[in-house]
Amino acid sequence: MQACSIHSRVVKVFKRLLLVLGAAGAVGMLARVRGKGGVPPTSGGWRELEGPEFR
Amino acid sequence: MTTALVVGVGAVGTRAARQLIDTPGVDRLLLADRDDAQLTEVASAFGSDAQAVDFAPGDPIPSDVDVVVTALPTGVDHPIVTAAIAAGVPVASSEDEHEALEQLRVLDPNARGAGVAIGIGCGLAPGLVDALARHAASMFESVDEIKVARTGWAGPASVATVRHERRVPVRTWHDGTWREDHPHGDSLVWFPEPIGARDCRTVTGGTALLVDAFPGVARIGVQLGEPPKRARLRRRFGDEGEWGAARVEVWGRRDGGFDCTVYGVVERTAVAAGAVLAVVGARLAGALTPKLDRPGVHGLGALLDPVPFLAELAQRGVRAAAFEGVAVA
C-alpha cells in the first residue's frame, strides 16, 4: 500500500515536471517566433535626396 | 504682419518656436504654456522676438493671431482646434496619438464649413513620413502597400505616447478594411545609419491619416520603436534631445513590374518634429509659400505637395534619404 502511494507521488511529480518543461518550451518558442527580426539588407545604401524633384 | 501663437514650449514646441522666429515671413511670436517657469525661461531666451501670453486650452484665440501651432501632451489639442475653427484661424498640431487624432479628425466637417485648414500629426511620424510616402507614391502607377516606422521620442510626453501606442490593441489597414488585433511582438526595422536596426512594433498611430491620404492603397502599417526603460530614473533628456529615425516603404507597380521605394531620415526627434511643425505653421499662415489653404482636418500626406515641403526642410537641416539596393519585404 505504501509502495503504491510513493509510486503515485513520483508519477505526479514527474507529470508536473513534464508540464513545467513543456510550458517553458512553449513560452520560449513563442518568444523566439515573435521576436524574429527582419533580414538585414545585404547590398545598397542610403543616398540623400537631391535635385529639384528631391529624388 | 504675421503672428503665430505657439502653445506648449516643451521639447518640440521650443524648437518649432525657434524655427518660426527664423522664418522671415513671421513677424511676431506669442508663446503659451501651463508651466509659467518654463514659459518665462523660453520667452526670455528668444528675447524681443517672442512674447509670453496667458492662453490656455478652451480660451478663445487672440484676435491678431494668423496661425496656431500646438505642441502639447496627448489629448489637449481638441479645445484649441475647436476655438481656432470658430475664429477662422488655421492650426498646425503635433498630436500623434491615435485616439486624440480621431477626436481631431471628427472636426473635419466643421473646418471645411468654416473654410479653415487644420494640419494634424505634424511631426516626424506621423508628419514627415506622410509627405515622404506621398512623394514616393508619385513614382508609381499604382500603390499596393505603405509601411512606415519610427524610432525616437521628443521628450517625456512623447515617450508616454509611444509606450501607450505599443501597449493597446492595434488597428491596421489590411486589404482595404480596418482590422483590430492585439499588439504583436517586435520585428527589426532597418533605419539609415547611424541608427541602423531597431526593434519596432505595429501600432495604430497615424494610420488613419495615411488611409485618408491614400484611400486606394490596400495595406498600410505603422510601427514604433521601443522607448528606453525607466528614462526618468536613468537620465534626463539632454538639451539636444534624443536621436530618432523614420523609414517609409512604398510598394507598387511601375514600368510593368512590382517595385519598392524606401525613404528614411535621421535627426534628433524633437528637432525634426519642431521643424516640420514650424514649416507647416508658417505655410498655413502664408509666411512661407505656397500657402496651405485646403479646408478641413488633414494629415500631411493629404495637406501638402511634398517637393517644396522637403526643400524647405532640407534648407533647415532636416534631410531625407533614399535606400538604393535590395529592399527587404
Side-chain angles (χ1 to χ4, degrees):
Chain A
M1 190 69 182
Q2 196 177 359
C4 184
S5 169
I6 289 170
H7 180 258
S8 166
R9 199 181 298 168
V10 168
V11 168
K12 197 182 281 182
V13 168
F14 182 67
K15 280 181 176 174
R16 280 184 182 167
L17 194 66
L18 278 181
L19 189 69
V20 167
L21 287 174
V27 169
M29 186 74 77
L30 199 67
R32 186 179 171 80
V33 169
R34 291 222 160 175
K36 190 179 177 185
V39 181
T42 51
S43 64
W46 294 90
R47 171 189 58 78
E48 208 167 274
L49 296 183
E50 55 194 3
E53 293 302 310
F54 274 83
R55 291 192 171 173
Chain B
M1 184 166 178
T2 302
T3 302
L5 168 63
V6 178
V7 188
V9 287
V12 174
T14 304
R15 286 160 177 90
R18 167 50 65 195
Q19 292 280 343
L20 282 165
I21 285 173
D22 292 341
T23 304
V26 176
D27 305 297
R28 188 162 157 254
L29 199 62
L30 306 179
L31 304 175
D33 197 287
R34 65 181 175 181
D35 184 339
D36 287 338
Q38 168 85 352
L39 178 62
T40 306
E41 187 181 337
V42 172
S44 61
F46 289 151
S48 59
D49 295 325
Q51 178 190 343
V53 294
D54 186 18
F55 175 85
D59 290 353
I61 305 298
S63 59
D64 54 349
V65 167
D66 297 291
V67 66
V68 179
V69 174
T70 65
L72 294 163
T74 291
V76 188
D77 281 32
H78 190 273
I80 297 174
V81 173
T82 305
I85 291 172
V89 177
V91 180
S93 161
S94 67
E95 182 63 75
D96 61 352
E97 194 273 331
H98 72 274
E99 286 171 354
L101 287 172
E102 281 306 306
Q103 290 176 5
L104 296 178
R105 285 175 72 237
V106 166
L107 297 173
D108 183 59
N110 307 37
R112 284 176 196 266
V116 180
I118 309 290
I120 60 174
C122 303
L124 179 56
L128 177 52
V129 292
D130 299 54
L132 287 171
R134 168 64 62 198
H135 190 43
S138 68
M139 293 178 229
F140 290 88
E141 292 145 20
S142 68
V143 175
D144 293 338
E145 182 171 13
I146 298 172
K147 293 198 280 190
V148 306
R150 182 190 105 202
T151 182
W153 15 90
S158 176
V159 170
T161 302
V162 172
R163 285 211 176 102
H164 172 72
E165 287 283 2
R166 285 170 52 91
R167 202 170 46 233
V168 297
V170 184
R171 292 187 80 221
T172 56
W173 185 251
H174 199 86
D175 291 336
T177 57
W178 287 103
R179 195 166 75 176
E180 188 152 336
D181 206 350
H182 290 287
H184 290 293
D186 290 3
S187 59
L188 278 180
V189 175
W190 297 83
F191 296 98
E193 296 298 336
I195 298 295
R198 291 294 168 95
D199 280 330
C200 291
R201 179 175 299 180
T202 301
V203 299
T204 309
T207 310
L209 302 182
L210 286 165
V211 173
D212 287 345
F214 305 94
V217 176
R219 289 179 299 282
I220 295 175
V222 174
Q223 290 181 294
L224 276 178
E226 185 180 15
K229 300 276 190 300
R230 299 187 189 91
R232 284 184 189 171
L233 295 178
R234 202 175 55 175
R235 62 191 171 87
R236 290 179 63 83
F237 284 89
D239 291 341
E240 293 302 315
E242 299 268 332
W243 281 99
R247 175 187 166 112
V248 180
E249 217 173 290
V250 175
W251 291 84
R253 295 182 186 281
R254 63 183 167 202
D255 304 328
F258 193 60
D259 205 355
C260 174
T261 292
V262 181
Y263 287 151
V265 61
V266 174
E267 184 52 86
R268 294 185 190 279
T269 311
V271 171
V276 169
L277 188 60
V279 170
V280 174
R283 287 185 58 186
L284 284 166
L288 285 174
T289 55
K291 184 178 182 182
L292 298 173
D293 53 6
R294 184 184 172 198
V297 178
H298 309 288
L300 299 193
L303 184 66
L304 46 74
D305 176 11
V307 173
F309 178 66
L310 294 174
E312 184 63 39
L313 284 179
Q315 280 188 356
R316 293 167 187 250
V318 180
R319 295 183 174 87
F323 180 76
E324 290 185 335
V326 181
V328 179

